[in-house]
Structures are given as C-alpha cells and as structure tokens.
Amino acid sequence: MDMIRVEPRCRVLIDNDWAGDPDGLVALAHHAMSPSNTIVGVTSSLTNPMFGPPAGMAQKGANLAGELLRVLKSPEPAVAHPGSDSPFTGQPRDTPAARAIAATAAAGGVLPLVLVCAGPLTNVADALLLDPAVASSLTLAWVGGAAANGEEYNYFTDPAAADFVLGNQELSVWQFPAETYRQVVAPVAELDHAFRNSGAAGAWLWELFNSLDVPDFVKFGPLWCLGDSAPLVVTGLDDATSTFTETRNHPSRRTYTSVDTRLIMADFLAKLRLQQ
C-alpha cells in the first residue's frame, strides 16, 4: 500500500559535513523519505580537524551522502557535490558545492527553496561570493551558533564563513542554535532497535553508527543527539508545535527556541519502518 498522500511544500538543498557526526546522515535520510519536501541538491562541506586531517573529507562526505541516497532509492539527486576542505577565505572559490548552490538558486521553481545547512557555513559563503543573487533566492535554515555566547561546533569550525553569511542583509535565515537543536535526542536503544528492524536503510545507518572512528575523548552515553534533524520542522514537517522569535520579516530572520522532538522522532522512525 502507498503512503497516505502528502503534497510537497518546499524544495530543499541540503549541505552538511557528512563525514563528521552521523546525525547529519540521519537527517538526510529523513528528508529523503519525506514527501512534503523535494531534495533538489546535496552538497558536502569540510569537517572539523577533530575528525582527522581535513584533506579529502568533503569528498568522503559527498560519497557517504550519495551512497545513502542510493540505498534509499531516492530518484534525485544523482550525486552530492563536495566543497573546499579549507575554511572560508573571503576570496571567490568556484567549488562544485558553491556552483551547485548557485545553480539551484538560479533555476527557480514553483515551491520555495530552503537551504538546510547543519554544519559549517563554508559552502554557503562560497556560493554567496560566487553569485550574490543566491541571497534573495532562498531561505537558509542553519543548525548552528548559540543564543548565549558559548562554544558551538558548527560556528567555530568556520567562524569567518558564519559571520559573512549571517551578515548578509539580503538573506532570510531561520536559525536553530545549540540550545534548540540539542533538544532533539533519542535513546540509543530506540535507534538501535529501529535500525536493526528497518530494511536496507536501517542496516546502512546501523553499520555507520557502529563503525564510527572518533577521538578517544568521545564517550558515548545512553542518548544520541540528532540535532541536524531540527530543520525538519520547516521542511518535511511543520513548525506549528515549535516556537521561534522573529526580528525581521523581509528578509525573514528567525531564531527557533524550541522544536517538537517527539514529532521529529516519531515521524523519522515511522518512515524508516515504512522502507521495509
């Protein structure tokens, strides 16, 4: 039986450091399984040096994202585009990722375009330098930064890129800061059970989570943060049960202060089971 019909509400261009924390790939799978959004592009960014030497990591991440989409039998996109392995320089860089973002923004479409970035903003900054018109063609949903001035991974992996992107006055930004995205957690036991019992996609994710190469100081606990899934409330789902503050309407500047974790996780786990 087919899933109950859901109409698409937006196009999504998804950028992440796919070779870093695996919660990004969970979020990619969730988007790919969501009929209410259409993936029109995937780009891969640099990783923090804590995950090892940066050289080649953007391409490694692109390979992982592409492999997952193939396992999910997602019709589009065919490939993920890598960005630079080095932080934003302030000088134009014609990377495959920057070109893909600029081309997708320029192509237009009936549905609104949301650029979901749940990693450093390097590729977004490069795309804005390559084609400033990108800013008025999409809304950026960014998982990063912190409402309080504390250390946050996605911001501090490339602070120059974040400052450049967030300083663009033509760009609509919906931000999910650390205080918000860290609310999206799941018990490891629930994830383990779901992955083991959800077909090829679940098996792929289970293997990924069980073969992570992480620094010695990283110790796993009974909960896993799936913060990169927070933007699903504005793409594949709805933010009716989430809260945000808004400082501007045109272009929109929102900071999400809460997201409905139960909604996100229940939807993801149900869609994963439906993949069997």
Side-chain angles (χ1 to χ4, degrees), residues 144-152 155-156 175 177-180 182 255:
N149 291 324
E151 183 170 336
E152 193 280 319
Y155 176 85
F156 281 101
Q175 185 175 358
E179 294 86 349
T180 302
R182 288 174 183 162
T255 300

Side-chain angles (χ1 to χ4, degrees), residues 38-49:
T38 301
I39 299 177
V40 292
V42 176
T43 54
S44 177
S45 67
L46 76 163
T47 57
N48 191 290

Side-chain angles (χ1 to χ4, degrees), residues 123-197:
N123 291 335
V124 183
D126 283 338
L128 287 168
L129 266 187
L130 191 65
D131 183 3
V134 166
S136 59
S137 303
L138 52 77
T139 295
L140 170 67
W142 183 46
V143 177
N149 291 324
E151 183 170 336
E152 193 280 319
Y153 171 87
N154 290 336
Y155 176 85
F156 281 101
T157 297
D158 195 346
D163 292 342
F164 178 80
V165 171
L166 299 178
N168 189 308
Q169 298 303 304
E170 303 299 317
L171 180 66
S172 289
V173 180
W174 297 343
Q175 185 175 358
F176 297 81
E179 294 86 349
T180 302
Y181 74 70
R182 288 174 183 162
Q183 297 171 15
V184 185
V185 294
V188 167
E190 184 176 30
L191 287 178
D192 194 284
H193 182 269
F195 292 159
R196 288 172 185 263
N197 295 279

Side-chain angles (χ1 to χ4, degrees), residues 2 12 15 17 44-46 64 112 118 137-138 145 165 178 185 209 236-237 243 250 253 263 275:
D2 292 332
V12 289
D15 180 83
D17 52 343
S44 177
S45 67
L46 76 163
L64 282 169
S137 303
L138 52 77
V165 171
V185 294
F209 273 72
L237 294 166
T243 60
H250 303 289
R253 287 291 169 107
L263 176 69
Q275 292 293 306

Side-chain angles (χ1 to χ4, degrees), residues 4 16 52 62-63 70 73 95 98 105 133 136 138 143 170 177 179 196 208 226 229 237 252:
I4 296 171
N16 208 315
N63 294 344
R70 287 189 291 275
K73 299 180 180 177
T95 67
S136 59
L138 52 77
V143 177
E170 303 299 317
E179 294 86 349
R196 288 172 185 263
L208 177 77
L226 298 175
S229 295
L237 294 166
S252 177

